[in-house]
Amino acid sequence: MIPVAFEKVWIENKVANHYKTQQILSKLGNIEINRFDDMNSLIRSSQTVFHPKDRSRTLVLSAIRGEILRKCPGTHGHLCCNYHIINQYIGCPIGCSYCILQGYLNQPFTIINVDIESIFQELEKFQRTYPGKQIRIGTGELGDSLVYDHLTHFSEDFLNFFAGRNEFIFEFKTKTTNVELLLQNKSSGNIVIGFSVNPDIVRINEEEFSASLKERIEAAATLVNAGYKIALHFDPIVLIPNAESEYRQTVHFIFSLLKPEDIAWISLGTFRYTTDLKSMMEYNYPKSSLLSREFVLCSDNKFRYFRPIRTKLYKMVIDFLHDVNKNLPIYLCMESPEVWIDTLGILPGSCSGCSQKETMDLLFKRRVIVKKGIEN
């Protein structure tokens, strides 16, 4: 379990009596409790903190603000898989040195949005507005999907909601083994558990409080036996010493416990960062070696390894995966069309041009949508 414990709680007054608020408080034990009315005022009055450990000491229970269900924003000049996002948690205690949250979260605490019924109302509205349209949704953009599941029991709520709603495919993304509640409930077949994976040397050096690769894949195998599908996210792939040997062993171990038919999809993405993230990494994780390589500024204002290096890394992992099974559904996350062509030999369409049906065909039916005219 994550060793950082909440030291105090702020509760938005309008959700003070919400059943989820009371449920979470009952699991926290004796803890300082405060109330507030306005999130912006709370942020302004709070002491500024930067390190994820410090952000993870204060919990805020509030109602969701802004757009509830939204498409992944993608990134300029790079292809997107048309993923939809629900931000249930804002903030994460796992302590990954490369975590993009360091670069753009402005609140000095962890937020749990307790009004889950608002999410379900929005999903039902979407279902009525676009009948028959299939949509892939996840909750792991601004916080690990399962790290606080023992407090919130959100996994049970989502499982109950998505049962029988086959037009939805819902993914929990995690670096933990906090899957007990999932195992206590039967999957309806449209629930995917996504595990971020990397060689353990990356986990040891850059993912302070994450579960080991062995622990994650053993948890994944247990979930498969309970009827769940698994996603694998090799993201970020990192240029490390003995990379070929390390990633070969990683893939070999994963598929010593999992079968190709257990996998819903596999995403690949190399390490990338913004200027703000670089500053936060240097401040929060001065021992990290990730920034010691050479990088190039790309069209989306993110720094990446030079294209030949990214291509080599992708081909390396793809070759290891194809040695297992050539039909594994693989896609690249936030990559340029040129790199797609160089590595997978396909171009699934641009962020704006690839329909949801085409994307789902690519991921689940192994069909390829090729469009002419590669953008620079």
Side-chain angles (χ1 to χ4, degrees):
M1 298 299 295
I2 306 300
V4 177
F6 294 120
E7 296 174 355
K8 61 182 175 180
V9 180
W10 284 89
I11 303 173
E12 188 175 14
N13 280 322
K14 67 180 179 181
V15 299
N17 296 319
H18 194 283
Y19 77 99
K20 280 292 180 186
T21 299
Q22 298 304 312
Q23 175 183 310
I24 293 168
L25 289 177
S26 71
K27 296 177 180 293
L28 291 177
N30 186 20
I31 191 170
E32 178 187 336
I33 297 176
N34 307 275
R35 298 285 192 90
F36 73 98
D37 285 314
D38 178 70
M39 180 68 78
N40 291 329
S41 296
L42 177 62
I43 293 173
R44 287 194 298 269
S45 64
S46 299
Q47 182 180 0
T48 300
V49 298
F50 297 106
H51 201 286
K53 284 183 182 178
D54 297 322
R55 291 181 188 272
S56 301
R57 298 185 192 281
T58 300
L59 172 63
V60 171
L61 303 178
S62 67
I64 296 176
R65 286 166 176 75
E67 194 175 12
I68 294 175
L69 176 66
R70 64 188 183 89
K71 290 183 69 173
C72 174
T75 187
H76 177 72
H78 297 72
L79 302 186
C80 181
C81 66
N82 281 348
Y83 200 70
H84 284 70
I85 297 163
I86 296 170
N87 290 326
Q88 196 71 50
Y89 304 109
I90 303 175
C92 183
I94 292 177
C96 298
S97 65
Y98 53 78
C99 182
I100 189 64
L101 300 184
Q102 300 172 85
Y104 63 77
L105 290 187
N106 68 337
Q107 88 284 348
F109 37 68
T110 295
I111 298 174
I112 297 180
N113 295 313
V114 300
D115 55 336
I116 195 165
E117 65 278 359
S118 299
I119 293 174
F120 296 152
Q121 290 169 7
E122 186 68 20
L123 290 171
E124 288 174 342
K125 178 182 176 182
F126 186 94
Q127 189 177 21
R128 293 191 299 269
T129 305
Y130 303 99
K133 183 174 182 179
Q134 196 168 50
I135 180 173
R136 190 165 63 107
I137 308 172
T139 60
E141 185 194 33
L142 297 184
D144 188 286
S145 297
L146 297 176
V147 69
Y148 294 124
D149 199 46
H150 57 291
L151 298 178
T152 66
H153 288 224
F154 282 145
S155 64
E156 292 183 314
D157 298 307
F158 283 116
L159 287 172
N160 290 332
F161 176 82
F162 286 111
R165 300 177 187 264
N166 293 327
E167 62 272 41
F168 294 107
I169 298 174
F170 185 80
E171 180 184 16
F172 297 98
K173 285 184 178 180
T174 191
K175 290 186 177 80
T176 77
T177 59
N178 201 13
V179 299
E180 288 79 6
L181 291 174
L182 292 170
L183 294 173
Q184 293 172 21
N185 293 270
K186 184 178 180 181
S187 171
S188 56
N190 58 349
I191 303 297
V192 176
I193 316 302
F195 287 90
S196 297
V197 291
N198 243 321
D200 257 329
I201 189 63
V202 176
R203 178 194 66 83
I204 292 168
N205 292 333
E206 312 294 344
E207 302 173 359
E208 186 172 6
F209 299 131
S210 67
S212 69
L213 177 68
K214 180 176 185 291
E215 290 168 334
R216 294 183 216 185
I217 302 307
E218 286 177 346
T222 304
L223 288 163
V224 167
N225 291 334
Y228 293 93
K229 284 287 188 180
I230 301 301
L232 300 173
H233 300 287
F234 288 83
D235 195 348
I237 298 172
V238 179
L239 184 58
I240 55 175
N242 303 312
E244 184 172 350
S245 174
E246 291 284 356
Y247 279 96
R248 180 189 291 110
Q249 291 177 37
T250 298
V251 172
H252 181 268
F253 176 73
I254 289 170
F255 286 97
S256 70
L257 296 182
L258 299 177
K259 299 175 182 178
E261 56 266 30
D262 300 332
I263 307 302
W265 56 78
I266 301 173
S267 72
L268 310 180
T270 54
F271 172 57
R272 53 205 178 270
Y273 64 87
T274 62
T275 301
D276 288 341
L277 176 56
K278 180 177 185 289
S279 299
M280 288 294 96
M281 288 179 66
E282 290 171 337
Y283 181 83
N284 290 330
Y285 300 99
K287 294 182 180 180
S288 173
S289 62
L290 292 183
L291 297 172
S292 62
R293 300 288 183 171
E294 289 188 296
F295 297 89
V296 61
L297 181 62
C298 297
S299 60
D300 59 351
N301 288 322
K302 291 181 181 178
F303 290 86
R304 290 175 170 82
Y305 299 128
F306 286 93
R307 176 181 162 189
I309 295 174
R310 303 202 312 273
T311 298
K312 183 177 180 180
L313 288 171
Y314 286 131
K315 284 184 175 180
M316 174 187 72
V317 176
I318 290 168
D319 285 346
F320 295 151
L321 291 170
H322 281 172
D323 286 343
V324 175
N325 188 296
K326 292 189 180 298
N327 291 319
L328 285 168
I330 302 169
Y331 70 97
L332 306 185
C333 183
M334 295 189 184
E335 261 303 346
S336 68
E338 294 85 359
V339 175
W340 270 80
I341 293 294
D342 289 346
T343 57
L344 291 170
I346 59 174
L347 186 62
S350 69
C351 217
S352 59
C354 188
S355 73
Q356 186 67 40
K357 182 179 184 301
E358 290 171 335
T359 300
M360 299 313 295
D361 282 344
L362 173 65
L363 294 173
F364 296 100
K365 298 178 183 178
R366 281 56 164 178
R367 288 177 55 196
V368 176
I369 310 300
V370 179
K371 295 199 172 187
K372 296 181 179 179
I374 301 175
E375 300 177 1
N376 293 322

